[in-house]
Structure formats: C-alpha cells, structure tokens
Amino acid sequence: MAATDRQADDVLRHIRRPLLLTRLGMVAEAVVRAFWPLWSVLFVAAALLMLGLQDSVAVEWVWGAAAVLGLAALATLAIGIRRFRWPSRIGAMARMDAAMPGRPIQTAMDHQAIGAGDAASRAVWSAHQARMRARLETASAVQPDLRASRADPFALRYVALLVLSVGLLFGSVWKMGSVTAMTPGGTSLASGPSWEGWVEPPVYTRMPALYLNDIAPGEITVPEGSRVMLRFYGEVGALQLTEDISGAPIKQQVEAQTAYDLTVAQSGALTIDGPGGRAWQVLMRLDDAPQVALNGEVEASARGEVSLPFSASDDHGVTRGQARIDLSMDRLDRRHGLAAEPEPQDPIVVELPMPISGDRAEFEEILIEDFSQHPWANMPVTVTLTVEDAAGQSSEPAVEEITLMGRRFFEPLAAAVIEQRRDLLWSRDNAARVAQIMRAISYQPDEVFRSSVTYLRFRTILRRLETFTQFGQLTLEDRDEIAQAMWDLAVILEDGDLGDALERLRRAQERLSEAMRNGATDQEIAELMQELRDATDDYMRQLSRQAQEQGEDGDQSAQQQGETMQMSQDDLQRMMDRIQELMEQGRMAEAQQALDELRQMMENMRVTQGEGGQGQQSPGEQAMEGLAETLREQQGLSDQAFRDLQDRFNPGQQGQQGQQGQQGQQGQQGQGQRGQGGQPGDGDDLGQSLANRQGALRQEVERQRGNLPGAGTEAGDAARDALDRAEDAMDGAEQALRGDDFAEAIDRQAEAMDALRDGMRSLGEAMAQEQQNQGQQGMADGQQPGERQDPLGRNAGTNGQIGSEDSILQGEDVYRRARELLDEIRRRTGDGERPDAEIEYLERLLERF
C-alpha cells in the first residue's frame, strides 16, 4: 500500500499542472451545460433594458416583466444547481490518461501482478514503467468541450445572444439604470420626480424633432400644427403642466396625468411646475396659404391643344391643384344654334400638373389639354385655378376669362360640320335645324365632296339624325354617338387623303393660305410650315422614284422641255423659311405671293436623269439588280420551305398557305398548284423539287460572283467573300432539303440571305467609291461628273447606290412593315397550339433579329 501511495505521488508530481487545468476545464463544461438557461434569461433581460423598453411602457408593465424574468432566472438557477456536478481528480486523471497513447498514468501507478518472482519479467516491467513516466513529462491539459448542443437542441442560447447583440448595437448600457428609480406605484427611489418632452413638427415641414430636456427655458419657435408630447415619472401629482398653446381653455386638472399630447394651435406659454420643471414661451410660425396665378397668355396649337401657363408657391410646397372651367354666358354670342336654351353641362375640372422632382415651394408649369371635342370649344369661358398644400389649405382662386380655343378647321365643309356638331351638343332641340342644314349642304354633292367615302359617311349621319328627330327618340347616348361621327368626318374632310403626296402638298398649301387669311398664331404658323415641309419632301421622293422608273424615256422628254432651272435643296429650304418669316412679321400679302410662286414651281417640277448615263446601266448596277433578284428568289424559296414545314403539322391550313405560296413564287406555277392541293404525303417529291431550285440558285450566285466589279478593292473583295458565304449556306440548305430536314434548311437559307445582303452592301460601297474616283478624275480634267440628280441637287442613285446621305431603304413604310413582321412573329411564338418545330424556328428568328 505504501508502495502504491509513493507511485501515485510520483505520478502527480509530473502531471500536477496539466491535471489542474484539465479539471478546471471540466468545471467550465459542467457550468456551461448546467447554467446556459440562466445566462440566456439574463441576456434577454439586459437587452430589453439597454433598448430602453422600460421607458416606453407603463411602470406596472416594467415590474410585471421583471417579475416574470426573475422567476425564470430563479427556475433556471435551481435547474442548473441540480444538474451541476463537481468533477473529481480521478475523473480528470482518467480524461488525461485517455488523451495520451498507452495510458501512461494508469501504467505508472499500476504494479506487476504476474511474474513478480522472475527477475527478467521484473526488468521488462520496470523498463515499461520507465517509458510511461518519461511520457508523463510531456503531458498537457485536455481542452474542455464547451458545446451544449445536446442540452439545447433548439439553439435558444444563440437567440438570447442575438438579442443581447442588438441591445449593445442599438441601445445603451446607461439606460439600464433608469429602472432602478421605478417602483410599482411610480415613486422614485433615487432622484425623485422626472420628466421628458418632445416637440414634433408636421411631417410636410421636413423639420427635425426637438427634445425639450435639452432646451433651456426661453423662447421656442415651432411650426403651426406641431405636436408636443410630455411624460412625467415618479409620484403622481408631483409635476404639473400649465399651457395655453393648444387653444383649449385653461382649467384645473381633476386628476393628475403622467402623459400629455398637445397640438400647437397658437402662441403661448408651456410650463412644467414641480421639481426640475421648466417654462418656455412658444412662438407659433403660421403656415401660409398657397398661391397660384396665371403666368402668360393662353395659346393653342393648330391641332387644338390649349397651353395654359401658371405659377404656384407655398412655404412648405404645393401638393395638388386643379383648373375649373365654366362657360361665360354673359360674353357668349347667342345667335343661330346657340339661341336655344342650353342643356345642363358640368364644369370642366382638370388636375394641374405638378413637378415630378424638385422643390414644389415655387415653380412654373404649363397645363396642356385638348378641348377641341368639348361642346364649349371656341367659346368664352372662365378659368379658375386653385392649389392646396399638405395642411389642406387652399389658395385664393386665380380667375381668368379666356376663349376655350380648340382645333381650327380651314376646310369650309369641315368647319360647317363642326359648327352643326356644336349646335347639336348645345341642345337637342337643335337636331331638326342641324338636319335641315346638313341636307342643304349635301344638295349637290359633286360640287362639295371630293370623294364618295366622305359623302356616304355624311349621308349616314344625316339619315340617323333625321330618324331620331322624326320619332323624338334622340337620347344623350345617341347624340354623343352622332357628335363623335361628325367629328371624325370633319377630321377626314380637313386632312384629306394623305397617301397621295401631291394631294398632301396641295392640302398643306391651302391650309397655310387659309391660316394667312384668318390671322393664325405663331405656333400655328410653325406647325403648318412643318406640315408643308414634310409634304414637300414626300412629293420630291415620289418624283425621284418616278424618274428612276422612267429611265431613258424620262431623260429624253426632259431634254425636249427646252430651258430648265435647277434648284438645290438649300434654295427650296430658304424659300420656305422666307415664307414663315414674312408670316411671323405680319406681311401676309408678300407671304401669299411667295407661297403662290412655290406652288407653281412645285406643280411644274420634273425630275430628270443626269447627262452622263443616258439611261444605260453600268456593270455594277446590273450586278446589283441581279443580286436583288437572287435575294427575292431566295426569300420566296425560304417562305415556301417554311409553309411546307407548317403543312406537316397543320394540314388544315394548307389551302391558305398554298395561296400565299402562289403569291410569293413568281414563275413557279407547279409549286403554287402544290401549295393549294398538296398533302403531307407529297413531302419527298416536294423536298427534291425545292432542293433542285436551291441548287440552281446556288449556281446563279456562283456566276454572279465571277462577274462582280470592283476587283482588287476592299469593298469589292468583301462583296465576293459575302457571296462565297452565301454559296456555302445555299449548298447546306440544298443538302438539308434532300435529306428532308426542313428546319435545318430554313436556318441555312436565312444565313444565305444575310450573306447576300452583306454582299449587296459591300457592292454598293464599291460602286460609290468607284463613282467618287471617277468624279474626282473628271473634275481634274475640267469636266463635271455625270451624276443622276433630282431638282434639289441630290444624287438619285439606283439599286442600292446612294450618292446622298439617304439610306438604301427610304420612307416610313419599310420600317413600319418590319415592325409589323416582328409583331406577327412574336404573336405566333406565343400561340401554344402551334407545333414545337415551328415555335423553335420562330424563336430563332427573334434571337437573330
């Protein structure tokens, strides 16, 4: 036994320090696993105090929460004490021994049980113990395992730690001391009665809140409508409030309060009587009412949009406004159809435009509205403008008497229809008179109406009006419907058929002449002049296209005209600028004379070809026409392949697709017949037929590539490369058609068409460069280059060769058609009933374009 004690003392001498640290770690493990509920409750309580929640609720709630948390703390403390077990030294030694290889502590303290009488056996045992003791020299403490996941499977301790972190970040440790001055009865245990106060201005003022505890006694200036909040702590009745800023009569409180919420309605005194109280003289800054005023003259455009400029201001910003328009009966000329008693008509109320961004304290805006179709159009009215601020205050109304201008109709017949429409909307009693006048107008339609369409619409309106008048059943709905039809008819009569460029030009000139006679405004003059410029440009483009189509005959007829005068585009622009300038200066007679000269010149204008070409096409032009024809044939072939692909999945649509195939393929009678009556079973023969056509088209491109001009130039080489790519794509399309793979064939055909377009673009650049070089050489020799020009001095160009800055595709129709095609592709892509192969092809088209 003595030997065992000596062995234990010898082992402890080597591991005393690591053993102590290991045992302390085990104590920490036991504390954490037994008392984690306790410190979780304490963390939550501390976080709530640091966030200052005790200052936001009644003191009774504070002490109630304190009692709950206290009971929870006591319960968790009792549970922790019951679970806690103090670790023993034997347990610490066992943990260290298990952490080292060979269990050296147990070996060093053990004795030999077998072979003690054998010297050799004792020697082996002694050597083994010596090695184990040597290993004890390097013994170290075992790290404690502080994880409590088994005891806390829901990680509630981390929730408590998170709450404490929020309190530390967004709260203050100093707020924890405020709870020590509270008792359930509200009595202060430490510092006696206390108070807090705030002044919160209205939100729309954008002013900060004031903390009354930081403001010394004296004067305070606050906006009207500010909110004053006071809270008293401590013994009830120890602090008293005296005020006359809320506008309520001053009276003695029957029962003392601990919280006050006041609204500043007037200047006055605010006093807190009692320990630590203060007094302030509150000066209320009045909220001024907003102001609004008209800012300039009321103007109207040629189309009838009224521009009403106004200005508004407010100390804190205007929130909304409106314009009220009432008919001025005292200023109205009550003759003809207006002599009847008018039917009730509600005033026009329009919201005023407000600035989208920026300060609304002071701004200027323009109310733009179109009242052309209103019954009061072109009548005297009274406009009343009012605005409001965020406090609900309204401005003094700004009243202005104006004429509610609408669209002006210069065509006499259109003006007459609008006048009768006004009389009908004025009173339904005028219906018989309006019908009588309209019948008189249409007595000899050939002398009044320029087209049968407008006459038929006029007669339809007249018959409906006479029918309703005869039977006395003209309701408000019927009246409004007829009035809308009369407005549409007047617009058609005024604008005319704008598809004809010459008619549009004449109409623009007539409208401008009418505006001169009626004294149009500057804005109307500017709009009508812009309309004249647009019509002139359309007319010149039409003449240019006509000259290109006439070719040599046009040149010869132009040479037979004798003396001619050529004008540049700048000369024509200067003439129209001069007309506008004369009109703006009020010199209407001179402006009318200049307009007549312009009209005569435009009507006698002819577009002729240049002298150098003599109507013969150059090799580049012939190549360009050949490529354009090849592109059209490739497009038709691709369309036919696409329709045949549809036929396989939508047999019911074959008839319609076949008719489209006949229109898309020129000179392919057999193909068109197949499109009308073919069946899906004929796909093999059809694929071979399309493949043969594709092969012939590829050979044609190969021939055209060998005859392209511009060899050796960068643009010419680019055109040849593009046609080479087109050949490869066509070859792939041919192979796909022979293999009955229509989807792949359509893709390759699209690549071929892109390559052909690139080739045409490069060929056009090569031709333009060649023409420029020839022109420079001609100028060097003292000769004028032979160019085809229109009367405005612009190079007309043919088949993609553009000498001016115009693009190859001119006019709005090309872009409109492109948009329509893209919209149609999107619509078909969204049709879920179409085959998957077709939808995939349409999606590839959308990705490409």
Side-chain angles (χ1 to χ4, degrees):
M1 187 68 180
T4 302
D5 293 339
R6 285 196 301 271
Q7 289 178 346
D9 293 339
D10 184 51
V11 170
L12 291 176
R13 181 173 58 82
H14 290 87
I15 63 172
R16 181 173 289 107
R17 186 173 181 278
L19 181 62
L20 177 61
L21 294 177
T22 301
R23 193 173 184 185
L24 293 177
M26 296 174 67
V27 173
E29 290 179 5
V31 171
V32 169
R33 295 174 181 175
F35 294 101
W36 70 265
L38 175 62
W39 55 257
S40 297
V41 173
L42 297 179
F43 281 0
V44 172
L48 297 178
L49 292 175
M50 284 188 289
L51 291 174
L53 297 181
Q54 69 277 9
D55 299 330
S56 303
V57 297
V59 65
E60 288 75 10
W61 286 96
V62 175
W63 287 105
V68 173
L69 292 175
L71 292 176
L74 291 177
T76 54
L77 177 61
I79 295 174
I81 294 174
R82 184 169 59 85
R83 292 180 178 178
F84 180 75
R85 295 292 182 271
W86 188 267
S88 62
R89 187 176 64 176
I90 300 299
M93 292 175 62
R95 175 173 289 191
M96 284 186 60
D97 198 18
M100 293 185 292
R103 293 188 174 271
I105 298 176
Q106 182 66 31
T107 303
M109 296 179 62
D110 206 351
H111 62 278
Q112 186 176 4
I114 301 175
D118 186 8
S121 178
R122 288 196 302 272
V124 172
W125 175 252
S126 299
H128 177 61
Q129 284 188 324
R131 285 196 302 269
M132 293 298 102
R133 289 191 181 92
R135 188 171 295 177
L136 292 177
E137 298 292 339
T138 61
S140 60
V142 179
Q143 294 183 354
D145 183 9
L146 301 180
R147 293 176 296 179
S149 56
R150 292 185 178 179
D152 182 19
F154 299 104
L156 298 179
R157 63 192 186 282
Y158 292 122
V159 176
L161 183 61
L162 176 62
V163 175
L164 179 63
S165 302
V166 172
L168 292 173
L169 289 174
F170 302 102
S172 175
V173 178
W174 305 108
K175 292 183 179 181
M176 299 176 65
S178 63
V179 75
T180 59
M182 296 182 180
T183 64
T187 306
S188 174
L189 299 178
S191 59
S194 62
W195 60 272
E196 279 187 306
W198 301 267
V199 177
E200 182 179 340
V203 177
Y204 62 84
T205 62
R206 300 180 180 87
M207 298 180 63
L210 303 178
Y211 187 53
L212 291 177
N213 297 65
D214 296 337
I215 300 177
E219 292 184 354
I220 305 177
T221 302
V222 298
E224 181 181 2
S226 297
R227 181 183 178 189
V228 179
M229 294 171 289
L230 294 170
R231 176 166 294 180
F232 295 164
Y233 307 112
E235 183 181 355
V236 178
L239 297 175
Q240 294 289 335
L241 173 65
T242 304
E243 58 86 17
D244 57 357
I245 60 175
S246 62
I250 301 177
K251 59 182 180 180
Q252 186 67 28
Q253 298 289 341
V254 178
E255 182 179 354
Q257 299 182 12
T258 59
Y260 296 88
D261 194 338
L262 311 173
T263 301
V264 178
Q266 62 185 18
S267 299
L270 178 65
T271 304
I272 299 177
D273 298 322
R278 298 180 191 178
W280 300 274
Q281 187 66 30
V282 179
L283 302 179
M284 186 187 70
R285 184 170 60 249
L286 293 176
D287 188 353
D288 298 333
Q291 298 180 357
V292 63
L294 291 173
N295 188 20
E297 296 182 357
V298 181
E299 297 181 353
S301 65
R303 292 294 178 180
E305 289 185 346
V306 177
S307 299
L308 183 66
F310 68 95
S311 60
S313 61
D314 185 68
D315 49 358
H316 297 299
V318 178
T319 57
R320 63 181 298 269
Q322 69 178 15
R324 177 189 173 99
I325 302 176
D326 298 280
L327 183 63
S328 298
M329 296 292 294
D330 55 342
R331 297 191 296 123
L332 183 63
D333 186 6
R334 301 286 300 276
R335 293 186 301 170
H336 307 301
L338 302 182
E341 190 66 22
E343 295 183 355
Q345 191 72 244
D346 295 332
I348 304 174
V349 179
V350 182
E351 292 293 326
L352 294 178
M354 295 287 117
I356 298 177
S357 61
D359 189 11
R360 294 188 179 182
E362 185 174 359
F363 63 91
E364 295 181 357
E365 278 288 347
I366 299 178
L367 172 63
I368 300 177
E369 289 288 340
D370 188 358
F371 301 106
S372 299
Q373 299 190 44
H374 196 273
W376 295 345
N378 299 312
M379 294 185 184
V381 295
T382 301
V383 180
T384 305
L385 303 182
T386 57
V387 293
E388 295 182 2
D389 60 7
Q393 301 181 103
S394 299
S395 65
E396 291 292 334
V399 183
E400 184 76 12
E401 293 184 350
I402 65 171
T403 298
L404 189 63
M405 293 177 287
R407 176 171 178 173
R408 300 181 63 178
F409 290 85
F410 301 98
E411 169 66 30
L413 182 57
V417 172
I418 288 299
E419 182 178 358
Q420 300 310 309
R421 175 183 178 273
R422 179 204 64 184
D423 295 345
L424 181 62
L425 291 175
W426 179 261
S427 175
R428 283 176 289 176
D429 296 337
N430 291 328
R433 178 178 179 275
V434 170
Q436 183 181 9
I437 294 177
M438 293 182 65
R439 179 165 290 280
I441 292 175
S442 60
Y443 174 65
Q444 292 182 346
D446 295 338
E447 299 180 1
V448 179
F449 295 92
R450 291 194 301 268
S451 67
S452 59
V453 175
T454 55
Y455 173 68
L456 291 176
R457 298 186 66 167
F458 187 92
R459 295 291 296 180
T460 300
I461 297 173
L462 176 59
R463 284 196 299 269
R464 294 191 61 194
L465 184 59
E466 289 178 341
T467 301
F468 288 130
T469 304
Q470 180 180 0
F471 293 99
Q473 297 179 351
L474 183 60
T475 62
L476 291 176
E477 292 76 10
D478 296 332
R479 182 203 64 180
D480 295 339
E481 185 178 353
I482 294 176
Q484 183 62 42
M486 296 176 71
W487 174 267
D488 297 338
L489 175 61
V491 172
I492 295 176
L493 292 171
E494 178 71 12
D495 294 339
D497 185 7
L498 302 182
D500 186 357
L502 180 59
E503 180 66 22
R504 180 182 179 187
L505 178 61
R506 291 174 178 172
R507 291 294 304 149
Q509 293 170 349
E510 292 176 2
R511 286 167 58 86
L512 191 57
S513 299
E514 186 70 19
M516 293 181 188
R517 292 191 295 269
N518 296 336
T521 63
D522 293 343
Q523 185 174 359
E524 288 179 316
I525 291 174
E527 293 184 2
L528 293 175
M529 285 301 303
Q530 184 61 40
E531 181 180 352
L532 178 61
R533 290 187 174 94
D534 295 340
T536 303
D537 292 340
D538 291 344
Y539 181 59
M540 296 307 302
R541 283 194 292 267
Q542 181 184 11
L543 287 179
S544 178
R545 289 193 295 268
Q546 181 181 2
Q548 294 178 20
E549 294 174 357
Q550 290 178 354
E552 183 177 355
D553 296 338
D555 293 341
Q556 294 177 357
S557 62
Q559 294 175 1
Q560 296 174 2
Q561 296 294 330
E563 296 183 0
T564 60
M565 180 182 64
Q566 185 179 36
M567 292 185 62
S568 66
Q569 188 174 6
D570 293 337
D571 295 335
L572 187 61
Q573 183 67 33
R574 281 193 293 269
M575 287 188 64
M576 287 189 287
D577 291 341
R578 179 60 177 169
I579 294 174
Q580 184 174 358
E581 181 180 357
L582 292 173
M583 293 180 64
E584 292 176 351
Q585 293 176 358
R587 301 159 63 180
M588 296 301 176
E590 299 179 27
Q592 184 62 49
Q593 182 179 357
L595 182 60
D596 294 339
E597 294 176 357
L598 177 63
R599 179 189 297 111
Q600 183 178 3
M601 183 194 68
M602 297 297 295
E603 290 180 354
N604 296 330
M605 182 172 291
R606 296 292 184 273
V607 175
T608 61
Q609 302 291 340
E611 298 176 358
Q614 295 298 327
Q616 297 180 358
Q617 290 184 335
S618 64
E621 294 174 349
Q622 295 177 359
M624 185 67 75
E625 287 187 357
L627 290 179
E629 181 64 25
T630 302
L631 179 60
R632 284 193 293 270
E633 292 180 1
Q634 181 62 78
Q635 181 66 60
L637 187 60
S638 179
D639 293 343
Q640 184 61 51
F642 178 68
R643 285 190 293 270
D644 294 331
L645 179 63
Q646 285 183 308
D647 288 345
R648 301 191 173 193
F649 299 97
N650 299 306
Q653 299 179 359
Q654 293 172 0
Q656 298 178 359
Q657 295 168 353
Q659 295 174 3
Q660 296 175 0
Q662 286 183 338
Q663 297 174 0
Q665 302 295 331
Q666 299 179 357
Q668 299 295 333
Q669 299 297 331
Q671 179 63 33
Q673 293 173 2
R674 184 268 164 202
Q676 289 181 347
Q679 298 297 330
D682 302 333
D684 296 339
D685 296 339
L686 177 62
Q688 295 300 321
S689 175
L690 294 179
N692 294 334
R693 292 174 55 195
Q694 186 67 72
L697 201 59
R698 177 182 56 81
Q699 295 176 1
E700 176 63 20
V701 172
E702 182 179 1
R703 184 192 64 80
Q704 292 173 348
R705 183 169 60 88
N707 297 331
L708 279 183
T713 63
E714 181 179 356
D717 294 341
R720 286 173 170 79
D721 293 340
L723 294 188
D724 192 15
R725 296 197 308 271
E727 287 184 50
D728 295 340
M730 289 180 178
D731 183 65
E734 180 183 357
Q735 300 302 325
L737 289 173
R738 296 191 186 280
D740 203 24
D741 188 355
F742 280 76
E744 176 65 20
I746 292 173
D747 291 340
R748 301 306 301 272
Q749 287 170 345
E751 296 175 5
M753 288 186 288
D754 290 340
L756 287 175
R757 294 188 185 97
D758 295 339
M760 294 177 64
R761 190 179 301 109
S762 300
L763 180 58
E765 294 175 359
M767 294 170 59
Q769 183 65 30
E770 182 180 359
Q771 183 180 10
Q772 182 179 1
N773 295 336
Q774 292 177 357
Q776 293 176 356
Q777 181 178 1
M779 294 297 292
D781 297 338
Q783 300 177 357
Q784 295 293 335
E787 295 180 347
R788 312 173 97 180
Q789 295 181 341
D790 62 11
L792 299 182
R794 300 176 298 188
N795 295 337
T798 56
N799 300 324
Q801 175 194 354
I802 301 298
S804 65
E805 297 179 355
D806 296 337
S807 61
I808 296 179
L809 301 177
Q810 300 182 4
E812 299 179 356
D813 291 341
V814 176
Y815 301 102
R816 178 181 58 80
R817 179 57 178 164
R819 287 194 299 269
E820 290 176 354
L821 290 176
L822 191 59
D823 293 339
E824 179 64 19
I825 292 175
R826 291 196 180 101
R827 186 190 66 80
R828 295 189 179 187
T829 305
D831 188 357
E833 297 181 357
R834 295 184 177 273
D836 295 338
E838 179 184 350
I839 294 178
E840 292 177 0
Y841 171 71
L842 295 175
E843 290 177 349
R844 288 196 296 271
L845 286 179
L846 290 176
E847 293 175 359
R848 182 180 299 274
F849 299 104

